[in-house]
Amino acid sequence: MSLFITFEGGEGSGKSSQTRALYRQLTRLDIPAILIHEPGSTVLGEKLTRLLKWAQSTNIAPTTELMLFDASRAQLVQEVIRPALKAHKIVICDRYADSTVAYQGYGRKIDIDTILKINDLATGGLKPDLTVLLDIPVEAGFARKTGQEPDRFEKESKAFHQRVRKGYFQLAADEPQRWLVVNASLSKEKIQQIIWEKVSSLLTERAER
Ligand code: TMP
């Protein structure tokens, strides 16, 4: 049984700890799963990530940025995600195409319809079965990030990150059946429990088909 689950959210929303917790839970139950992260999780993707997150002296125009994220994604879908789904694994992906709509669309203000077309080309139309949005107010998210060197996106203005958050709300409202919106200010354990309830009910549904 395959299932494609993505996690989305702003800076400091706790995605990495929640994706790891879900992965551990599935593994404990002997359910085959993989955990990957965007951008990255392929050799090419890791090279692009270094540029996208950490380039300091290299100027990256918004359209170039959009295409680099989708280049990384195209490689990841072909090399990792589709083969894993074909092998009946659960794929947990920390960020996916919705990040591009939120950050490059709402954040950088690139036309959303253009982004959707490029995302579609990169993914070959592959959509997640479930997308978990870990929602946190911008200031609260950044307050969790103290002491770490900020990357290119963390250096963006508060207004940029507020547009990203608004973008996520819009995406979740447009497709409520795909999105699970979780208040990321709750305790880690409570968030884990909410996500597990949703994932286990999807697994049961699939098993009964
Ligand atoms: P992260 O490793 O903390 O998730 O950082 C990835 C950064 O890249 C994050 O600030 C969001 C940004 N990003 C985009 O702007 N567009 C995208 O399509 C993706 C996948 C990430």
Side-chain angles (χ1 to χ4, degrees):
M1 173 183 17
S2 65
L3 202 60
F4 182 25
I5 305 170
T6 59
F7 280 66
E8 296 287 351
E11 312 304 317
S13 59
K15 287 181 295 85
S16 42
S17 113
Q18 289 300 328
T19 49
R20 278 199 303 269
L22 177 59
Y23 176 75
R24 274 198 304 269
Q25 176 76 355
L26 290 166
T27 310
R28 261 198 298 272
L29 297 172
D30 283 330
I31 300 174
I34 62 162
L35 171 56
I36 49 180
H37 180 264
E38 265 214 37
S41 298
T42 63
V43 172
L44 175 69
E46 294 302 333
K47 290 185 178 168
L48 294 175
T49 302
R50 275 197 288 282
L51 267 174
L52 283 162
K53 286 182 73 169
W54 302 109
Q56 277 172 3
S57 49
T58 315
N59 178 32
I60 305 179
T63 325
T64 315
E65 184 180 276
L66 160 68
M67 293 202 263
L68 290 178
F69 275 115
D70 268 309
S72 169
R73 180 166 304 129
Q75 191 65 31
L76 183 65
V77 167
Q78 292 198 33
E79 195 178 312
V80 181
I81 302 180
R82 283 199 191 273
L85 293 173
K86 211 167 164 200
H88 305 289
K89 292 185 181 167
I90 312 285
V91 175
I92 306 166
C93 193
D94 184 340
R95 296 196 183 280
Y96 188 60
D98 297 300
S99 276
T100 313
V101 178
Y103 281 79
Q104 281 63 52
Y106 285 84
R108 300 260 190 250
K109 302 185 178 172
I110 299 177
D111 176 61
I112 306 280
D113 283 339
T114 306
I115 294 183
L116 293 176
K117 282 187 196 133
I118 298 176
N119 278 352
D120 201 49
L121 177 68
T123 60
L126 180 69
K127 280 205 148 201
D129 298 294
L130 170 68
T131 299
V132 178
L133 172 59
L134 293 174
D135 175 60
I136 190 150
V138 173
E139 296 88 342
F142 273 94
R144 290 174 171 184
K145 290 227 143 194
T146 50
Q148 294 170 33
E149 171 74 14
D151 64 31
R152 277 180 67 246
F153 295 95
E154 289 160 350
K155 284 182 186 157
E156 283 296 334
S157 65
K158 193 174 153 196
F160 173 93
H161 289 284
Q162 270 162 345
R163 289 198 298 279
V164 169
R165 186 174 184 221
K166 187 177 146 225
Y168 276 131
F169 282 144
Q170 188 60 53
L171 284 165
D174 288 346
E175 264 184 291
Q177 70 294 349
R178 172 162 72 90
W179 288 77
L180 172 71
V181 181
V182 184
N183 174 357
S185 305
L186 295 171
S187 72
K188 273 188 186 171
E189 294 71 26
K190 181 70 194 163
I191 297 172
Q192 252 169 265
Q193 186 199 334
I194 294 169
I195 295 170
W196 181 244
E197 272 170 22
K198 181 69 187 179
V199 172
S200 52
S201 84
L202 272 179
L203 289 172
T204 312
E205 238 175 64
R206 294 275 160 126
E208 285 168 355
R209 267 191 201 168

